[in-house]
Amino acid sequence: MSRNSKSEQERLSVDENSAHTGHQRGDGGEQPEVAGGGPPVIDWEAAMEHVGDDKELFEAVKESALEEIPRLYSSLLSAIDSGQQVDAQRLAHTIKGAARVIAATKTMLVSERIEQASAKGDLDIARDSLEELNQVIEELVKTLSEE
């Protein structure tokens, strides 16, 4: 099937391994748009699998994510604003990893987009995705706080 004939839903879908790999279905060359749709904030089944269905452990991991991810975002914002490409790439990668532990799919996808742009030296594209990352992190914090 050619790329042009794929439905929008199929093109944006995330395969069942996305919570573990951070990659979408397809050739891996393009990232889905996540604002206002797309994958869930958290893949709860995958999140619980990551902690062996241990609710107490998940609570500890959740509290760590609530503290770390917003702090890392603030550092990422500073790195991009000051043109620190390597730091921006590292921080986006760290956010992606922290999000992966709790299966925060949207956060993983947007942080991966920023990581890839930073790796290519394109901080303008990375900067353009910061607002979306901020939005998905706010949504993540709200979701985790309600849980």
Side-chain angles (χ1 to χ4, degrees), residues 15-33:
D15 71 16
E16 65 189 6
N17 294 321
S18 67
H20 303 290
T21 65
H23 292 98
Q24 75 178 69
R25 183 181 331 184
D27 65 7
E30 69 182 274
Q31 293 297 315
E33 298 294 324

Side-chain angles (χ1 to χ4, degrees), residues 11-122:
R11 187 176 68 79
L12 299 179
S13 68
V14 176
D15 71 16
E16 65 189 6
N17 294 321
S18 67
H20 303 290
T21 65
H23 292 98
Q24 75 178 69
R25 183 181 331 184
D27 65 7
E30 69 182 274
Q31 293 297 315
E33 298 294 324
V34 291
V41 176
I42 297 173
D43 178 342
W44 290 106
E45 185 177 330
M48 292 310 295
E49 284 177 17
H50 291 169
V51 295
D53 290 322
D54 183 330
K55 291 181 182 179
E56 192 173 304
L57 178 57
F58 181 78
E59 284 300 312
V61 170
K62 176 182 90 170
E63 291 304 317
S64 177
L66 283 168
E67 179 181 319
E68 290 297 310
I69 292 175
R71 181 187 61 76
L72 290 164
Y73 173 79
S74 179
S75 296
L76 175 62
L77 184 62
S78 296
I80 290 174
D81 283 346
S82 61
Q84 298 173 347
Q85 173 190 344
V86 173
D87 288 344
Q89 180 182 355
R90 179 185 52 80
L91 287 160
H93 179 80
T94 304
I95 292 169
K96 181 179 72 176
R100 181 175 289 127
V101 172
I102 56 171
T105 311
K106 287 183 177 184
T107 305
M108 288 168 30
L109 292 170
V110 180
S111 59
E112 182 173 29
R113 184 182 321 132
I114 294 171
E115 177 187 10
Q116 290 173 351
S118 298
K120 294 176 184 174
D122 196 339

